[in-house]
Amino acid sequence: MEVMCHASSFLLPHPQPQEPREDAPPPPPAALTYAVIVLNQRLPRFAPLLWNRAQLRVCADGGANRVYDDMPKLFPDQDPQGVRLRYTPDVIKGDLDSIRDDVKDFYLNLGVRVVDESHDQDTTDLHKCVAHVSNSALVEDKSKLCILVVGALGGRFDHEIGNINVLHRFSNLRIVLLSDDCLIHLLPKTHSHVIHVQQPVEGPHCGLIPIGAPSACTSTTGLQWNLSDTAMSFGGLISTSNVVKEDKVTVSSDADLIWTISIKKPIKE
């Protein structure tokens, strides 16, 4: 089975080179092209770091309010208007039932593209934005694209579940949902997985959750409580409150799994 590698290197402000070792793990994924999607929840403290990593920045409807209101709060010693001009999205997309008129007018005056898709009530704003990024000319090889979604966790539970559903609907894309406390992404059953844990910024608490379908057989290495051909399902065993014990975690399963890991504080530019 083909191996898919994962690394939260986008959270590392200043990656430090390490001396090569004979027992060094395989390298993390080749350089990825990042896009950021901002949803309508409080921005995490590391939002500017992700914003600066990205080559495409999209606000999902009321996410534009969050960038307008919250980004200046992350730079309390700077002029708020200057911060807003520095952190201007490329596109605002969605139902447009949450974005304030003053925010919309501000970004329209800056030439930001605002796309009203209120005619489509069968998909969420996140779904619309992920489709926009995927269909863009940002990167030809979609395996080299990574979409970072901020404001995806917290708030209403049905919104959270809708966001997790997007991971399954776009299982061919790398999509990471982030909050101040943790990140989650999908481990598709079509691959075995190697997760290069970024110890300075994430862990140790983690989990593997079979959302979508039960797993009859999941195996891991690198965790305090590894799984060995273990069945997991809601109503049965799921791997929560596990702990990363090594720099490399491997996962193989007959079902799609959600990987989650805690994010350490603080992360600074």
PDB file of all heavy atoms in Angstrom, residues 12-39:
ATOM      1  N   LEU A  12       5.647  25.483  12.627  1.00  0.00           N
ATOM      2  CA  LEU A  12       6.992  25.781  13.101  1.00  0.00           C
ATOM      3  C   LEU A  12       7.419  27.161  12.620  1.00  0.00           C
ATOM      4  O   LEU A  12       7.608  27.371  11.419  1.00  0.00           O
ATOM      5  CB  LEU A  12       7.980  24.736  12.574  1.00  0.00           C
ATOM      6  CG  LEU A  12       7.846  23.327  13.143  1.00  0.00           C
ATOM      7  CD1 LEU A  12       8.747  22.374  12.362  1.00  0.00           C
ATOM      8  CD2 LEU A  12       8.191  23.300  14.618  1.00  0.00           C
ATOM      9  N   PRO A  13       7.579  28.117  13.541  1.00  0.00           N
ATOM     10  CA  PRO A  13       7.986  29.460  13.118  1.00  0.00           C
ATOM     11  C   PRO A  13       9.367  29.491  12.480  1.00  0.00           C
ATOM     12  O   PRO A  13       9.573  30.132  11.462  1.00  0.00           O
ATOM     13  CB  PRO A  13       7.963  30.276  14.424  1.00  0.00           C
ATOM     14  CG  PRO A  13       7.092  29.488  15.357  1.00  0.00           C
ATOM     15  CD  PRO A  13       7.291  28.062  14.970  1.00  0.00           C
ATOM     16  N   HIS A  14      10.324  28.794  13.089  1.00  0.00           N
ATOM     17  CA  HIS A  14      11.700  28.819  12.601  1.00  0.00           C
ATOM     18  C   HIS A  14      12.264  27.413  12.671  1.00  0.00           C
ATOM     19  O   HIS A  14      12.935  27.065  13.647  1.00  0.00           O
ATOM     20  CB  HIS A  14      12.563  29.773  13.428  1.00  0.00           C
ATOM     21  CG  HIS A  14      12.069  31.179  13.423  1.00  0.00           C
ATOM     22  ND1 HIS A  14      12.136  31.990  12.311  1.00  0.00           N
ATOM     23  CD2 HIS A  14      11.465  31.916  14.391  1.00  0.00           C
ATOM     24  CE1 HIS A  14      11.609  33.173  12.603  1.00  0.00           C
ATOM     25  NE2 HIS A  14      11.190  33.146  13.846  1.00  0.00           N
ATOM     26  N   PRO A  15      11.988  26.584  11.669  1.00  0.00           N
ATOM     27  CA  PRO A  15      12.532  25.216  11.710  1.00  0.00           C
ATOM     28  C   PRO A  15      14.043  25.221  11.843  1.00  0.00           C
ATOM     29  O   PRO A  15      14.730  25.963  11.144  1.00  0.00           O
ATOM     30  CB  PRO A  15      12.093  24.635  10.357  1.00  0.00           C
ATOM     31  CG  PRO A  15      10.972  25.510   9.903  1.00  0.00           C
ATOM     32  CD  PRO A  15      11.247  26.867  10.467  1.00  0.00           C
ATOM     33  N   GLN A  16      14.544  24.415  12.752  1.00  0.00           N
ATOM     34  CA  GLN A  16      15.978  24.358  12.989  1.00  0.00           C
ATOM     35  C   GLN A  16      16.572  23.122  12.311  1.00  0.00           C
ATOM     36  O   GLN A  16      16.054  22.007  12.468  1.00  0.00           O
ATOM     37  CB  GLN A  16      16.267  24.284  14.496  1.00  0.00           C
ATOM     38  CG  GLN A  16      15.806  25.514  15.263  1.00  0.00           C
ATOM     39  CD  GLN A  16      16.553  26.761  14.844  1.00  0.00           C
ATOM     40  OE1 GLN A  16      17.753  26.702  14.581  1.00  0.00           O
ATOM     41  NE2 GLN A  16      15.859  27.875  14.774  1.00  0.00           N
ATOM     42  N   PRO A  17      17.643  23.278  11.532  1.00  0.00           N
ATOM     43  CA  PRO A  17      18.287  22.107  10.930  1.00  0.00           C
ATOM     44  C   PRO A  17      18.866  21.203  12.002  1.00  0.00           C
ATOM     45  O   PRO A  17      19.320  21.665  13.048  1.00  0.00           O
ATOM     46  CB  PRO A  17      19.392  22.722  10.056  1.00  0.00           C
ATOM     47  CG  PRO A  17      19.662  24.064  10.667  1.00  0.00           C
ATOM     48  CD  PRO A  17      18.355  24.532  11.237  1.00  0.00           C
ATOM     49  N   GLN A  18      18.819  19.908  11.749  1.00  0.00           N
ATOM     50  CA  GLN A  18      19.325  18.938  12.708  1.00  0.00           C
ATOM     51  C   GLN A  18      20.493  18.167  12.097  1.00  0.00           C
ATOM     52  O   GLN A  18      20.558  17.973  10.887  1.00  0.00           O
ATOM     53  CB  GLN A  18      18.225  17.951  13.114  1.00  0.00           C
ATOM     54  CG  GLN A  18      17.060  18.635  13.835  1.00  0.00           C
ATOM     55  CD  GLN A  18      16.003  17.629  14.236  1.00  0.00           C
ATOM     56  OE1 GLN A  18      16.046  16.481  13.826  1.00  0.00           O
ATOM     57  NE2 GLN A  18      15.058  18.066  15.043  1.00  0.00           N
ATOM     58  N   GLU A  19      21.388  17.729  12.956  1.00  0.00           N
ATOM     59  CA  GLU A  19      22.498  16.908  12.493  1.00  0.00           C
ATOM     60  C   GLU A  19      21.952  15.565  11.980  1.00  0.00           C
ATOM     61  O   GLU A  19      21.079  14.954  12.610  1.00  0.00           O
ATOM     62  CB  GLU A  19      23.480  16.653  13.643  1.00  0.00           C
ATOM     63  CG  GLU A  19      24.235  17.890  14.094  1.00  0.00           C
ATOM     64  CD  GLU A  19      25.156  18.423  13.011  1.00  0.00           C
ATOM     65  OE1 GLU A  19      25.699  17.606  12.239  1.00  0.00           O
ATOM     66  OE2 GLU A  19      25.312  19.653  12.935  1.00  0.00           O
ATOM     67  N   PRO A  20      22.406  15.110  10.812  1.00  0.00           N
ATOM     68  CA  PRO A  20      21.917  13.819  10.297  1.00  0.00           C
ATOM     69  C   PRO A  20      22.298  12.680  11.230  1.00  0.00           C
ATOM     70  O   PRO A  20      23.373  12.672  11.818  1.00  0.00           O
ATOM     71  CB  PRO A  20      22.611  13.704   8.937  1.00  0.00           C
ATOM     72  CG  PRO A  20      23.805  14.600   9.034  1.00  0.00           C
ATOM     73  CD  PRO A  20      23.420  15.719   9.953  1.00  0.00           C
ATOM     74  N   ARG A  21      21.384  11.692  11.365  1.00  0.00           N
ATOM     75  CA  ARG A  21      21.639  10.524  12.193  1.00  0.00           C
ATOM     76  C   ARG A  21      21.369   9.272  11.379  1.00  0.00           C
ATOM     77  O   ARG A  21      20.502   9.262  10.506  1.00  0.00           O
ATOM     78  CB  ARG A  21      20.709  10.501  13.427  1.00  0.00           C
ATOM     79  CG  ARG A  21      20.692  11.746  14.260  1.00  0.00           C
ATOM     80  CD  ARG A  21      19.942  11.514  15.580  1.00  0.00           C
ATOM     81  NE  ARG A  21      18.787  10.658  15.445  1.00  0.00           N
ATOM     82  CZ  ARG A  21      17.539  11.120  15.331  1.00  0.00           C
ATOM     83  NH1 ARG A  21      17.312  12.432  15.292  1.00  0.00           N
ATOM     84  NH2 ARG A  21      16.530  10.283  15.234  1.00  0.00           N
ATOM     85  N   GLU A  22      22.077   8.226  11.698  1.00  0.00           N
ATOM     86  CA  GLU A  22      21.871   6.985  10.971  1.00  0.00           C
ATOM     87  C   GLU A  22      20.461   6.447  11.186  1.00  0.00           C
ATOM     88  O   GLU A  22      19.881   5.805  10.314  1.00  0.00           O
ATOM     89  CB  GLU A  22      22.899   5.939  11.424  1.00  0.00           C
ATOM     90  CG  GLU A  22      24.320   6.235  10.952  1.00  0.00           C
ATOM     91  CD  GLU A  22      25.266   5.120  11.322  1.00  0.00           C
ATOM     92  OE1 GLU A  22      24.798   4.103  11.887  1.00  0.00           O
ATOM     93  OE2 GLU A  22      26.479   5.249  11.047  1.00  0.00           O
ATOM     94  N   ASP A  23      19.905   6.700  12.385  1.00  0.00           N
ATOM     95  CA  ASP A  23      18.579   6.185  12.696  1.00  0.00           C
ATOM     96  C   ASP A  23      17.493   7.229  12.461  1.00  0.00           C
ATOM     97  O   ASP A  23      16.380   7.103  12.967  1.00  0.00           O
ATOM     98  CB  ASP A  23      18.520   5.713  14.141  1.00  0.00           C
ATOM     99  CG  ASP A  23      18.777   6.858  15.135  1.00  0.00           C
ATOM    100  OD1 ASP A  23      19.339   7.890  14.720  1.00  0.00           O
ATOM    101  OD2 ASP A  23      18.404   6.699  16.313  1.00  0.00           O
ATOM    102  N   ALA A  24      17.828   8.257  11.701  1.00  0.00           N
ATOM    103  CA  ALA A  24      16.851   9.324  11.455  1.00  0.00           C
ATOM    104  C   ALA A  24      15.649   8.766  10.704  1.00  0.00           C
ATOM    105  O   ALA A  24      15.777   7.901   9.841  1.00  0.00           O
ATOM    106  CB  ALA A  24      17.490  10.444  10.639  1.00  0.00           C
ATOM    107  N   PRO A  25      14.425   9.258  11.050  1.00  0.00           N
ATOM    108  CA  PRO A  25      13.228   8.780  10.360  1.00  0.00           C
ATOM    109  C   PRO A  25      13.191   9.286   8.926  1.00  0.00           C
ATOM    110  O   PRO A  25      13.926  10.215   8.572  1.00  0.00           O
ATOM    111  CB  PRO A  25      12.079   9.391  11.184  1.00  0.00           C
ATOM    112  CG  PRO A  25      12.682  10.602  11.804  1.00  0.00           C
ATOM    113  CD  PRO A  25      14.122  10.255  12.073  1.00  0.00           C
ATOM    114  N   PRO A  26      12.348   8.699   8.076  1.00  0.00           N
ATOM    115  CA  PRO A  26      12.214   9.208   6.711  1.00  0.00           C
ATOM    116  C   PRO A  26      11.817  10.673   6.739  1.00  0.00           C
ATOM    117  O   PRO A  26      11.162  11.140   7.677  1.00  0.00           O
ATOM    118  CB  PRO A  26      11.090   8.337   6.126  1.00  0.00           C
ATOM    119  CG  PRO A  26      11.075   7.107   6.971  1.00  0.00           C
ATOM    120  CD  PRO A  26      11.497   7.550   8.338  1.00  0.00           C
ATOM    121  N   PRO A  27      12.214  11.435   5.719  1.00  0.00           N
ATOM    122  CA  PRO A  27      11.899  12.860   5.714  1.00  0.00           C
ATOM    123  C   PRO A  27      10.401  13.098   5.621  1.00  0.00           C
ATOM    124  O   PRO A  27       9.664  12.250   5.117  1.00  0.00           O
ATOM    125  CB  PRO A  27      12.613  13.370   4.454  1.00  0.00           C
ATOM    126  CG  PRO A  27      12.734  12.167   3.581  1.00  0.00           C
ATOM    127  CD  PRO A  27      12.918  11.006   4.512  1.00  0.00           C
ATOM    128  N   PRO A  28       9.925  14.242   6.121  1.00  0.00           N
ATOM    129  CA  PRO A  28       8.514  14.582   6.005  1.00  0.00           C
ATOM    130  C   PRO A  28       8.156  14.836   4.555  1.00  0.00           C
ATOM    131  O   PRO A  28       9.016  14.808   3.673  1.00  0.00           O
ATOM    132  CB  PRO A  28       8.385  15.865   6.845  1.00  0.00           C
ATOM    133  CG  PRO A  28       9.758  16.436   6.876  1.00  0.00           C
ATOM    134  CD  PRO A  28      10.698  15.274   6.817  1.00  0.00           C
ATOM    135  N   PRO A  29       6.866  15.113   4.269  1.00  0.00           N
ATOM    136  CA  PRO A  29       6.449  15.298   2.889  1.00  0.00           C
ATOM    137  C   PRO A  29       7.244  16.391   2.183  1.00  0.00           C
ATOM    138  O   PRO A  29       7.726  17.334   2.807  1.00  0.00           O
ATOM    139  CB  PRO A  29       4.966  15.705   3.020  1.00  0.00           C
ATOM    140  CG  PRO A  29       4.545  15.229   4.361  1.00  0.00           C
ATOM    141  CD  PRO A  29       5.754  15.257   5.224  1.00  0.00           C
ATOM    142  N   ALA A  30       7.369  16.230   0.869  1.00  0.00           N
ATOM    143  CA  ALA A  30       8.025  17.266   0.077  1.00  0.00           C
ATOM    144  C   ALA A  30       7.265  18.571   0.254  1.00  0.00           C
ATOM    145  O   ALA A  30       6.111  18.598   0.681  1.00  0.00           O
ATOM    146  CB  ALA A  30       8.047  16.846  -1.385  1.00  0.00           C
ATOM    147  N   ALA A  31       7.925  19.657  -0.093  1.00  0.00           N
ATOM    148  CA  ALA A  31       7.361  20.983   0.126  1.00  0.00           C
ATOM    149  C   ALA A  31       5.929  21.068  -0.404  1.00  0.00           C
ATOM    150  O   ALA A  31       5.655  20.690  -1.547  1.00  0.00           O
ATOM    151  CB  ALA A  31       8.249  22.022  -0.544  1.00  0.00           C
ATOM    152  N   LEU A  32       5.048  21.545   0.437  1.00  0.00           N
ATOM    153  CA  LEU A  32       3.643  21.681   0.079  1.00  0.00           C
ATOM    154  C   LEU A  32       3.312  23.131  -0.222  1.00  0.00           C
ATOM    155  O   LEU A  32       3.975  24.051   0.257  1.00  0.00           O
ATOM    156  CB  LEU A  32       2.759  21.183   1.226  1.00  0.00           C
ATOM    157  CG  LEU A  32       2.885  19.710   1.608  1.00  0.00           C
ATOM    158  CD1 LEU A  32       2.063  19.422   2.855  1.00  0.00           C
ATOM    159  CD2 LEU A  32       2.442  18.815   0.460  1.00  0.00           C
ATOM    160  N   THR A  33       2.270  23.323  -1.023  1.00  0.00           N
ATOM    161  CA  THR A  33       1.711  24.641  -1.261  1.00  0.00           C
ATOM    162  C   THR A  33       0.495  24.793  -0.353  1.00  0.00           C
ATOM    163  O   THR A  33      -0.408  23.948  -0.376  1.00  0.00           O
ATOM    164  CB  THR A  33       1.296  24.803  -2.734  1.00  0.00           C
ATOM    165  OG1 THR A  33       2.453  24.681  -3.563  1.00  0.00           O
ATOM    166  CG2 THR A  33       0.666  26.176  -2.967  1.00  0.00           C
ATOM    167  N   TYR A  34       0.477  25.871   0.440  1.00  0.00           N
ATOM    168  CA  TYR A  34      -0.575  26.039   1.435  1.00  0.00           C
ATOM    169  C   TYR A  34      -1.620  27.061   0.985  1.00  0.00           C
ATOM    170  O   TYR A  34      -1.299  28.075   0.358  1.00  0.00           O
ATOM    171  CB  TYR A  34       0.015  26.498   2.772  1.00  0.00           C
ATOM    172  CG  TYR A  34       0.878  25.469   3.436  1.00  0.00           C
ATOM    173  CD1 TYR A  34       2.272  25.586   3.438  1.00  0.00           C
ATOM    174  CD2 TYR A  34       0.308  24.365   4.062  1.00  0.00           C
ATOM    175  CE1 TYR A  34       3.071  24.626   4.046  1.00  0.00           C
ATOM    176  CE2 TYR A  34       1.099  23.403   4.677  1.00  0.00           C
ATOM    177  CZ  TYR A  34       2.476  23.538   4.669  1.00  0.00           C
ATOM    178  OH  TYR A  34       3.260  22.590   5.265  1.00  0.00           O
ATOM    179  N   ALA A  35      -2.859  26.763   1.338  1.00  0.00           N
ATOM    180  CA  ALA A  35      -3.957  27.728   1.264  1.00  0.00           C
ATOM    181  C   ALA A  35      -4.591  27.794   2.645  1.00  0.00           C
ATOM    182  O   ALA A  35      -4.599  26.799   3.383  1.00  0.00           O
ATOM    183  CB  ALA A  35      -4.994  27.310   0.225  1.00  0.00           C
ATOM    184  N   VAL A  36      -5.115  28.959   3.008  1.00  0.00           N
ATOM    185  CA  VAL A  36      -5.787  29.143   4.288  1.00  0.00           C
ATOM    186  C   VAL A  36      -7.248  29.499   4.033  1.00  0.00           C
ATOM    187  O   VAL A  36      -7.552  30.344   3.183  1.00  0.00           O
ATOM    188  CB  VAL A  36      -5.110  30.248   5.129  1.00  0.00           C
ATOM    189  CG1 VAL A  36      -6.030  30.722   6.253  1.00  0.00           C
ATOM    190  CG2 VAL A  36      -3.806  29.741   5.730  1.00  0.00           C
ATOM    191  N   ILE A  37      -8.129  28.833   4.777  1.00  0.00           N
ATOM    192  CA  ILE A  37      -9.552  29.181   4.791  1.00  0.00           C
ATOM    193  C   ILE A  37      -9.906  29.589   6.214  1.00  0.00           C
ATOM    194  O   ILE A  37      -9.604  28.869   7.170  1.00  0.00           O
ATOM    195  CB  ILE A  37     -10.428  28.003   4.339  1.00  0.00           C
ATOM    196  CG1 ILE A  37     -10.120  27.625   2.880  1.00  0.00           C
ATOM    197  CG2 ILE A  37     -11.920  28.347   4.492  1.00  0.00           C
ATOM    198  CD1 ILE A  37     -10.854  26.385   2.397  1.00  0.00           C
ATOM    199  N   VAL A  38     -10.546  30.742   6.369  1.00  0.00           N
ATOM    200  CA  VAL A  38     -10.924  31.267   7.682  1.00  0.00           C
ATOM    201  C   VAL A  38     -12.432  31.141   7.848  1.00  0.00           C
ATOM    202  O   VAL A  38     -13.206  31.677   7.037  1.00  0.00           O
ATOM    203  CB  VAL A  38     -10.495  32.739   7.845  1.00  0.00           C
ATOM    204  CG1 VAL A  38     -10.888  33.252   9.228  1.00  0.00           C
ATOM    205  CG2 VAL A  38      -8.991  32.887   7.623  1.00  0.00           C
ATOM    206  N   LEU A  39     -12.851  30.439   8.901  1.00  0.00           N
ATOM    207  CA  LEU A  39     -14.265  30.301   9.229  1.00  0.00           C
ATOM    208  C   LEU A  39     -14.645  31.278  10.340  1.00  0.00           C
ATOM    209  O   LEU A  39     -13.803  31.961  10.913  1.00  0.00           O
ATOM    210  CB  LEU A  39     -14.568  28.862   9.653  1.00  0.00           C
ATOM    211  CG  LEU A  39     -14.219  27.767   8.638  1.00  0.00           C
ATOM    212  CD1 LEU A  39     -14.711  26.406   9.144  1.00  0.00           C
ATOM    213  CD2 LEU A  39     -14.808  28.062   7.270  1.00  0.00           C
TER     214      LEU A  39
END
